Amino acid sequence: MKLALVGDIGGTNARFALWRDEQLESVRVLATADYPGPEAAIGAYLAELELPLGAVDSVCLACAGPVGGDEFRFTNNHWRLSRAAFCRELQVRELLLVNDFCAMALGMTRLGEGERLQLCPGEPEAHRPWVVIGPGTGLGVGTLLQLADGSWLALPGEGGHVDLPIGSPREALLWQQLHAQLGHVRAEDVLSGGGLLTLYRAICALDGHAPRLHSPAEITAAALAGDAVALQVIEQFCCWLGRAAGNLVLSLGGRGGVYIVGGVVPRFAELFRASGFARCLRDKGVMSGYFEGIPAWLVTAEYPGLMGAGVALQQAFATARV
């Protein structure tokens, strides 16, 4: 009986797993820089598991960017993929490519106990959109809908590239600093790993501090150690993430709940939970009452994108099994 394989491919790492009985098995993380393309990486993964080419029948890969047609160029690494050549080389019958945040959104349907922290209390409304937003290398945004037959529909989009929202005089001044440096200011320019450093420099410029931190990791470590300027950066980051997520809730009617995902926020989870995120999520003037009862969570699951790729594969291919 054939195997199913799922992958979640980012800029630095590619995560692969077998998909069996609606669960992940044999998860491995490979550096994309070590391989010329996904075929070579998957070949190495299969070799490690002592599986021959042809052992995998169905594959789902979650990839950053719009997917369509035979040729796909990964937007955040050097890999390229031809669907036909991929299936031929790896002897795969079915290949499904999905947007990485569609997979991330689908992964929210399989969260286990202890894989999310509550940020705002409430009960999700049935059959209303779920909002999924996550700072990582960039800012990913996804929308999830449960259909009448019980299946899930994840809607791709480029919500990370919307304008950065301004909700206070202080934020307007910071926006001016950012605009002087960047021109057009996208939400992703601040709400991402690299955006922490951009925001830190803008705060230093506005408040007259000499910058002494030089990476997102340094800023996070300094904030956790109690550094006043770094704490301001984290607080403003959390507030802006709340505003961006709140805009999505209003735009989509997202009363199914808000899920904060990605690799950045869990690194300072307790600071995030104590921050102004929840206040800014709901800070919408006459529409602030709309947010009453809408829950929000911080997702701490290790491989939600891989799990979502499994869900996508399972929904797409009836033969995606072991």
Side-chain angles (χ1 to χ4, degrees):
M1 195 174 290
K2 295 290 187 176
L3 301 176
L5 181 146
V6 293
D8 181 15
I9 300 173
T12 304
N13 294 313
R15 301 161 184 86
F16 298 109
L18 300 180
W19 180 253
R20 185 199 304 267
D21 297 329
E22 302 188 26
Q23 296 296 326
L24 303 174
E25 289 187 3
S26 304
V27 176
R28 300 290 188 275
V29 181
L30 305 180
T32 57
D34 292 345
Y35 302 92
E39 296 89 346
I42 292 173
Y45 170 78
L46 293 174
E48 182 182 344
L49 298 182
E50 299 182 349
L51 293 171
L53 295 181
V56 168
D57 188 51
S58 302
V59 174
C60 178
L61 300 180
C63 315
V67 294
D70 181 69
E71 297 285 337
F72 179 78
R73 183 189 295 270
F74 292 80
T75 60
N76 50 4
N77 64 45
H78 64 284
W79 287 2
R80 301 178 68 175
L81 180 149
S82 160
R83 293 174 190 260
F86 178 98
C87 292
R88 185 169 56 249
E89 182 172 340
L90 293 179
Q91 301 175 36
V92 168
R93 184 168 63 91
E94 297 171 314
L95 170 64
L96 175 66
L97 299 183
V98 297
N99 174 268
D100 59 340
F101 252 74
C102 282
M104 183 68 78
L106 288 168
M108 300 303 98
T109 68
R110 300 299 176 90
L111 294 178
E113 287 295 322
E115 292 187 328
R116 65 183 185 180
L117 302 173
Q118 189 170 72
L119 303 168
C120 300
E123 290 295 329
E125 292 188 12
H127 304 293
R128 297 297 295 273
W130 299 15
V131 171
V132 184
I133 181 170
T137 302
L139 178 63
V141 172
T143 307
L144 192 66
L145 291 168
Q146 187 171 28
L147 304 181
D149 63 0
S151 65
W152 296 91
L153 175 64
L155 304 178
E158 296 297 332
H161 297 283
V162 301
D163 298 339
L164 183 70
I166 300 170
S168 72
R170 167 79 172 176
E171 289 175 359
L173 292 173
L174 285 170
W175 181 89
Q176 290 178 351
Q177 292 287 338
L178 293 164
H179 187 266
Q181 175 186 349
L182 303 171
H184 178 243
V185 185
R186 306 168 300 165
E188 180 175 281
D189 292 326
V190 168
L191 298 175
S192 59
L196 275 173
L197 185 58
T198 301
L199 179 56
Y200 169 73
R201 290 171 174 165
I203 286 176
C204 287
L206 181 61
D207 295 340
H209 303 300
R212 59 178 187 82
L213 303 174
H214 305 289
S215 71
E218 288 184 16
I219 294 166
T220 300
L224 292 172
D227 179 86
V229 177
L231 282 169
Q232 287 183 51
V233 174
I234 297 297
E235 175 64 18
Q236 185 58 65
F237 181 97
C238 297
C239 288
W240 255 325
L241 183 55
R243 296 196 192 284
N247 284 351
L248 289 168
V249 169
L250 290 179
S251 296
L252 299 167
R255 298 195 59 85
V258 177
Y259 292 79
I260 305 300
V261 299
V264 173
V265 176
R267 296 171 186 166
F268 48 84
E270 291 310 310
L271 289 176
F272 184 72
R273 295 180 81 185
S275 75
F277 166 82
R279 171 178 55 81
C280 291
L281 174 75
R282 301 161 168 159
D283 182 18
K284 299 300 179 188
V286 296
M287 288 303 294
S288 296
Y290 183 83
F291 291 81
E292 187 67 32
I294 298 178
W297 298 276
L298 171 61
V299 175
T300 58
E302 192 170 12
Y303 300 115
L306 269 182
M307 183 62 78
V311 175
L313 184 147
Q314 185 171 305
Q315 291 192 157
F317 303 139
T319 57
R321 62 186 185 275
V322 177

